[in-house]
Every structure is written in structure tokens, then in C-alpha cells.
Amino acid sequence: HEEKGIAIITAWWMSSLFRPELLRQLSAHPILNVHASPGAGKTSLFSRVFWKVFAGVSEGDALSCTSSPFVFAKDLSSTNALGLVFDEFKTGDISTTDMNRFRRILRRVYAGEVEGRGRADQGVNSYFLSSPVAVLGESRLDNDQALVERCCFVQLDGVWIGNHPEN
């Protein structure tokens, strides 16, 4: 299962490089949801391997699943081909309000929708939700059928980094 999971994650990262074209032709790009038990190496796998290969950085910073609507809009419009990673998704640690906000924004980012945010002068800033998104955590994004249909799920077994000390 571990090799299949790594292959799915790699394919998702590769497809993220073509997200603008996928949105143009298919009007969609799936959200990646990697879930596993605590200490399985989800964050380490992404920061030590995938960010190096696909982003050219030694370690990336994961985003919070409990951000404000403005922060979500700003972050999710910051790139169109470099995957953004939301880490530490655990349903028991997220309030109902934050959970609903996060699920809503994920449903919208799937198709690259536009998020409007009001300004003090009564104007509106529009943010194109163009970023590919991966969600890592102990929980699976499975309490929302519309979201389930928009995700690629990968469950990692065991302790990845412990089994791959060369990384």
C-alpha cells in the first residue's frame, strides 16, 4: 500500500504543474488528502521529499486548516501550479465553524472558483482560487460527500521516515 500511496502522491504533484490547463480543459483538479496515524511521517514526507523535488525548496511551510477567510483566499490565489499543503488536519481539533469554512473553501478550490472579499471602501477584491491543494493529517476528508468526490485519498501505513532513513 505504501508504494501505491507514494505513486498517487507523485502523480498528484506532477499533475499540479499542469493545473491551469486541467482547469481550462476539465474545469477541475482534485484535492489530495493524505491521512495516517500520528508519527507516520506525513509532514516529513512532504517537507523532505516532495517540496524538494517539485518546489525546489529544502523545506516548505505548511498552512493552517483554521485560517480566516481572507488568509485562505490570499494563500489559495498565490500560485497556480505549486501545490499548497495544509497540515495537521484532525477533525477533533477543529471547531465546527472552522471545519465548515475549510470544507467550503476546498470545494471551491477544486474548480478554481473566484472568492470575493470586501474592502473597507465598499469595494471587492477578487481572488482566483488557483492553487493545487494537499491536506495532510490524521483525519480523512470524508464527512462531506461533495468534497469526497473532489479528492484523491492516500492512507499511509506505518512510519514512512523510519522505514526510509536515507531521506
Side-chain angles (χ1 to χ4, degrees), residues 8 12 22 26 33 40 42 50 52 55 63 65-66 71 78 86 90 94 111 137 143 146 151-152 157 162:
I8 292 169
W12 179 85
L22 292 169
L26 305 174
N33 181 206
K42 303 170 293 291
F50 288 105
K52 283 182 183 178
L63 303 171
C65 301
T66 58
V71 172
S78 67
F86 290 87
K90 184 176 178 183
I94 302 174
N143 289 338
C151 289
C152 288
D157 298 322

Side-chain angles (χ1 to χ4, degrees), residues 47-62:
S47 66
R48 293 183 186 176
V49 178
F50 288 105
W51 274 322
K52 283 182 183 178
V53 173
F54 290 100
V57 295
S58 59
E59 283 200 29
D61 291 325

Side-chain angles (χ1 to χ4, degrees), residues 38-113:
K42 303 170 293 291
T43 304
S44 296
L45 174 64
F46 273 72
S47 66
R48 293 183 186 176
V49 178
F50 288 105
W51 274 322
K52 283 182 183 178
V53 173
F54 290 100
V57 295
S58 59
E59 283 200 29
D61 291 325
L63 303 171
S64 172
C65 301
T66 58
S67 294
S68 71
F70 172 75
V71 172
F72 279 139
K74 190 86 165 150
D75 287 343
L76 294 170
S77 65
S78 67
T79 179
N80 67 359
L82 177 61
L84 296 183
V85 178
F86 290 87
D87 200 5
E88 301 300 333
F89 180 74
K90 184 176 178 183
T91 54
D93 288 351
I94 302 174
S95 73
T96 302
T97 300
D98 286 341
M99 181 66 72
N100 289 339
R101 180 184 304 128
F102 188 56
R103 287 182 175 144
R104 178 184 164 277
I105 202 77
L106 289 178
R107 287 191 304 270
R108 299 194 67 217
V109 79
Y110 167 78
E113 295 181 20

